[in-house]
Structure formats: C-alpha cells, structure tokens
Amino acid sequence: MAAGHPRFLWWKGERVAWDDATVHVTDLAWSAVGGVFEGIRAYWGPEHDELFVFRLREHMERLVRSARLVRLPLEQSVDDLVAITVDLLRANEVREDSYIFPFVYMGDAQAKRFDPSSLKGELLVQTRPMPSHLGTGMTQRARFSTWTRISDTVMPPRVKNISNYRNGQLATHEVRLDGYDAALLLNPQGKVSEAPGACVAFVSRGKLITPDGTSGILESITRDALLTIAREDMGIEVVERQVERTELYTADEVFLCGTAAEITPLVEIDRYAVGDGQIGPVTGELERRLIDIMRGNETTHAPWRTPVGVAVPSR
C-alpha cells in the first residue's frame, strides 16, 4: 500500500490504478442516492500465512438482491463479484485485516435519475485496512436515540442502500454529542430495531434473543453467523421476535454485531448497567469462536471462509 491507499481498485469493468479512478465533481450529487453496497471483512491468518474473506459469497448474493430491489442493473454475476474481489486483494498484496467495499451506483444519474428504464449500474470495489477489535476487551455505552428507524414503507431497511444510512448517522451524531458510544433505534411500532450499522442481540435467562426480520433490521450476515454458532455449536436456544426496549435494561448480556461492529459488547444502556457491567460469558465465547473462524483456526465453518491465495500472482 502506498500513500495511505491501495494500489488498485475495481471500476467500470477493470482493475484501475487508484489515481486514475476519477469522476467529474458534477456527477457526485445524485449518483449515490440509490446506490447499494456491501461491507465485507478479510482477516489475516498468521498461522496459515493466508488472508480469509468472511462469507464473501453471501455478501455478494445480498449485493445482487439489493441492486435488483433498487432497480439498478448489475452486469456481474455473484461468481464474477467473488472473482473480482479475490483478484483485487491479490493485486494489492493485502496481508492484514481489511475492509472490502463493493458499491453499485447510478451511472449518468444527473439527467436520468427518475427514469427507471434508463438507469445504469456502475460497480466500484475498493479495499482498505481495518484492524479487528475482537479479543481487545472493547466495550461501549449506548443510548436509545430519539430518531426512529426507517420502515419498509419508507425505504427498504433489509438492503444496504446508501440513503438508508443517513437515518443511523443522525442517531449516532445525537448520542455521541451526549457522551455515548453507540445509538439504538426503535421502529415506528416502538419496538427495538437495531443500532446504526449493526444488529442487536441479548442474553436473558439462558436464551439468545434478537429482533426479527419484521422489526426493520438489515438482514445481517454476521448476525446469521452468530445465531448459527450459538444454536448449533453452543447449544443455546435462539429466539427471533419483537423486542421491547426495557428487555435490554434487564438483560444479562447485550451486544451489537455486524461487519464493522463484529461483536461489540454493550455494558450500559440509558445509564442502566448491563448485567455486571462486564463482557458476559456467552458474548465472550461467541467472540472467541468467531476469532477462530475468521482466522482459519477451525474446520467446522470452513465454507464461510474464502482463502485469497495472496502468494498467487493476480491475473
């Protein structure tokens, strides 16, 4: 990596040098409004001298679904998107924990943004370093925001649309100005939805509970992985349902989860201590198992990992 950025990114059908990927300033205003994206993590496995991308295919399948829902034509198939990502990581010689950002946006959007028959999807894929915080003991304090989570009748929350993230940004700014680390959002029905950019789960009376798919959540791939680990590997009963905010106040453990959030334990919500104010045993065990999965140190969930083959020359 040179000058604080990778050597290459993928743009308009080819691998492009970073400094050559430019657009005119007048193209910025409308192109991203309907854009969809994925946030994907790659983890360095030092014991294997290999980079592993976590659930790459599932992320690209969701990107294709998102593009279809917002009516953005996408030329690449899931297989194409996987191959592009692996090739880009090899070309950039990535040997550290990294974030992958595939972004489908409206090309020539300024004049055609209201004509669905003329929309053109452009694909950008870029990578950047993102160290993992798993195993560091990081915790956060949260507060419920006065902003309400968008509903399916406003903008579809189940897809990663750039526009959706303004909702969470407002909530995050609000609570951080009040001295908290993270925001929590209620949906229009007054039930717990999610945090900006992350899902919510909690442990109560031996069960792992999380808001269901009708609560205005993003259909999170990390959430799905953790529910699978808890249910199948740890033998914990998993419940997906509507959740009241006061349930989080009395929970034994609460954590956020997502690509960027990974697992982020919450130790205080609205000035209620969560449990004993420390990382709980279930959260800690999920974290330990996730580390092993992501760094290639177990075999049960090997299909969730895409080895990049960093020693293999890119094409």
Side-chain angles (χ1 to χ4, degrees), residues 142-278:
R143 198 201 93 184
F144 276 96
S145 172
T146 61
W147 294 97
T148 301
R149 174 67 172 159
I150 56 173
S151 72
D152 205 51
T153 58
V154 176
M155 292 189 292
R158 63 173 25 89
V159 302
K160 289 180 75 70
N161 187 326
I162 288 286
S163 297
N164 292 359
Y165 279 72
R166 181 56 175 159
N167 177 228
Q169 188 181 57
L170 289 168
T172 298
H173 288 176
E174 177 187 40
V175 304
R176 287 189 176 174
L177 287 170
D178 286 343
Y180 293 84
D181 305 304
L184 294 168
L185 288 159
L186 300 176
N187 63 25
Q189 292 73 44
K191 308 298 183 182
V192 177
S193 181
E194 62 172 38
C199 287
V200 184
F202 66 100
V203 178
S204 180
R205 301 175 187 176
K207 299 178 183 179
L208 181 62
I209 304 168
T210 186
D212 62 16
T214 66
S215 296
I217 69 169
L218 174 72
E219 295 177 336
S220 165
I221 292 166
T222 304
R223 171 184 176 273
D224 172 75
L226 292 173
L227 298 187
T228 300
I229 294 166
R231 183 188 298 113
E232 298 181 3
D233 301 353
M234 298 170 60
I236 296 173
E237 182 178 353
V238 172
V239 181
E240 299 179 63
R241 60 166 173 80
Q242 293 187 338
V243 173
E244 304 286 353
R245 67 187 294 175
T246 52
E247 292 186 82
L248 300 189
Y249 299 157
T250 59
D252 301 316
E253 306 175 39
V254 182
F255 63 84
L256 307 180
C257 60
T259 297
E262 299 178 305
I263 296 176
T264 301
L266 298 184
V267 295
E268 181 184 298
I269 300 172
D270 287 351
R271 299 197 179 276
Y272 286 96
V274 175
D276 62 2
Q278 305 294 321

Side-chain angles (χ1 to χ4, degrees), residues 11-28:
W11 187 48
K12 293 192 173 182
E14 60 182 345
R15 196 196 310 148
V16 179
W18 180 277
D19 290 335
D20 294 337
T22 60
V23 297
H24 194 270
V25 67
T26 57
D27 290 335
L28 297 179

Side-chain angles (χ1 to χ4, degrees), residues 8 45 53 62-63 81-82 101 105 121 130 159 178 186 205 213 216 284:
F8 299 107
V53 186
R62 187 173 63 181
L63 182 67
L81 294 167
V82 169
F101 180 75
Y105 63 96
M130 179 179 276
V159 302
D178 286 343
L186 300 176
R205 301 175 187 176

Side-chain angles (χ1 to χ4, degrees), residues 56 65 124 131 146 204 218 244 265 280 292 298 303 306 312 315:
L56 175 57
R65 292 195 301 270
L124 165 70
T146 61
S204 180
L218 174 72
E244 304 286 353
D292 283 343
E298 59 84 68
T306 299
V312 178
R315 54 183 171 80

Side-chain angles (χ1 to χ4, degrees), residues 83-144:
I84 287 167
T85 302
V86 170
D87 179 74
L88 186 62
L89 290 165
R90 287 180 186 169
N92 285 329
E93 300 179 358
V94 177
R95 302 176 69 89
E96 60 187 322
D97 293 355
S98 295
Y99 183 80
I100 304 155
F101 180 75
F103 176 39
V104 183
Y105 63 96
M106 290 187 286
D108 302 322
Q110 189 164 340
K112 302 177 181 179
R113 61 189 182 275
F114 295 122
D115 181 3
S117 66
S118 67
L119 292 181
K120 177 186 178 184
E122 295 283 7
L123 173 66
L124 165 70
V125 185
Q126 60 176 305
T127 68
R128 63 179 172 86
M130 179 179 276
S132 172
H133 66 249
L134 292 173
T136 66
M138 187 190 83
T139 61
Q140 290 189 341
R141 298 167 58 249
R143 198 201 93 184
F144 276 96

